[in-house]
Amino acid sequence: MYRLVWGKAQQLCFADEHEYYRTLGSLCRGDSYTITFETNSETDSWGDAFRIKCLRPDSQTPDAFIGAMRTARRINCNDYVQNLYEYHDFDFDVGNKVLIGNYEKVKKTVPSSYYFDFEEGYNLRFIRYDNKKQSSSGTGIKRDVVQRKKESIVKAVPVVQKENREKPEPVPIRINKGETIVHKSFGTGKVVSSKGKYIKVQFDTVGEKSFANPGAFEGGFIRKN
């Protein structure tokens, strides 16, 4: 699913469609990135998360990733990683807790008009939107990242029409404690509670997770067994 801005804090921003699909092509290279699912016990953080680690230098990394990079060249952006799995046919290796992009499979999810960008990204050739660096040290974050982020956020925010605001609230799917749920990435789990708009599911692979009801069902993330 193409979108310019990702993350709760809009931390990952693509300048345009070309950068989006070039980055997608580069993610199919196992020698350039690792996408790992880490639990909070491993990271000493508040919650479990997928993390993208950039293994190449800035010269072989897209501007969008350089702008979102944090300590140890890692990027935290769960909704973008979920998008790779749901819409770009990345595979999740449950045993090793890693997400893997197969070149041939992922390319089938790319519009033909962006095949060139996808191939360029796979070959680690990126367009630079500003060659001036903020500093000569660190990750070399580009000066225009903040500006591009602001512009991308404006583009990404839809105009809310009156009829959309007046739509009724979605009705939660009826599900009882103890029922079995299947998640595309985490496998089979048991419902431990179901109250209002949320359900909690216990998985053997990743422990307890909460999901919006009915959003998670409608989005295809989970289903009844």
Side-chain angles (χ1 to χ4, degrees), residues 205-218:
T205 53
V206 294
E208 187 176 286
K209 296 291 179 182
S210 295
F211 300 96
N213 186 5
F217 289 98
E218 294 175 346

Side-chain angles (χ1 to χ4, degrees), residues 118-142:
F118 182 81
E119 296 283 353
E120 288 287 276
Y122 185 76
N123 289 299
L124 303 179
R125 292 194 286 264
F126 301 103
I127 294 173
R128 296 304 171 189
Y129 294 88
D130 188 342
N131 290 324
K132 296 178 181 179
K133 293 187 177 182
Q134 191 174 39
S135 68
S136 59
S137 60
T139 60
I141 297 174
K142 305 298 181 291

Side-chain angles (χ1 to χ4, degrees), residues 1-14:
M1 179 176 65
Y2 160 72
R3 204 168 77 212
L4 287 179
V5 183
W6 299 88
K8 292 181 179 179
Q10 292 87 41
Q11 67 268 29
L12 178 58
C13 301
F14 296 97

Side-chain angles (χ1 to χ4, degrees), residues 37-162:
F37 181 77
E38 301 176 358
T39 62
N40 56 357
S41 60
E42 296 172 314
T43 61
D44 194 29
S45 59
W46 288 105
D48 304 340
F50 279 100
R51 288 179 172 83
I52 302 171
K53 183 166 185 179
C54 302
L55 306 178
R56 297 273 182 169
D58 282 4
S59 60
Q60 295 179 318
T61 305
D63 280 2
F65 275 10
I66 294 172
M69 205 179 290
R70 295 296 179 264
T71 307
R73 299 186 66 80
R74 298 198 308 181
I75 299 166
N76 300 346
C77 193
N78 278 342
D79 60 344
Y80 177 69
V81 175
Q82 187 69 48
N83 169 66
L84 297 177
Y85 178 82
E86 294 290 338
Y87 295 98
H88 291 301
D89 214 9
F90 276 59
D91 298 309
F92 184 64
D93 181 342
V94 177
N96 293 311
K97 297 183 180 180
V98 295
L99 204 71
I100 303 168
N102 175 275
Y103 171 86
E104 296 295 339
K105 289 177 64 178
V106 175
K107 187 174 180 179
K108 291 178 181 178
T109 71
V110 177
S112 59
S113 56
Y114 294 106
Y115 279 174
F116 176 80
D117 296 294
F118 182 81
E119 296 283 353
E120 288 287 276
Y122 185 76
N123 289 299
L124 303 179
R125 292 194 286 264
F126 301 103
I127 294 173
R128 296 304 171 189
Y129 294 88
D130 188 342
N131 290 324
K132 296 178 181 179
K133 293 187 177 182
Q134 191 174 39
S135 68
S136 59
S137 60
T139 60
I141 297 174
K142 305 298 181 291
R143 289 181 183 275
D144 72 328
V145 167
V146 173
Q147 182 61 34
R148 287 195 295 109
K149 183 179 291 187
K150 290 179 180 177
E151 293 171 355
S152 297
I153 291 171
V154 171
K155 292 177 184 177
V157 176
V159 177
V160 179
Q161 302 296 332
K162 182 177 180 181

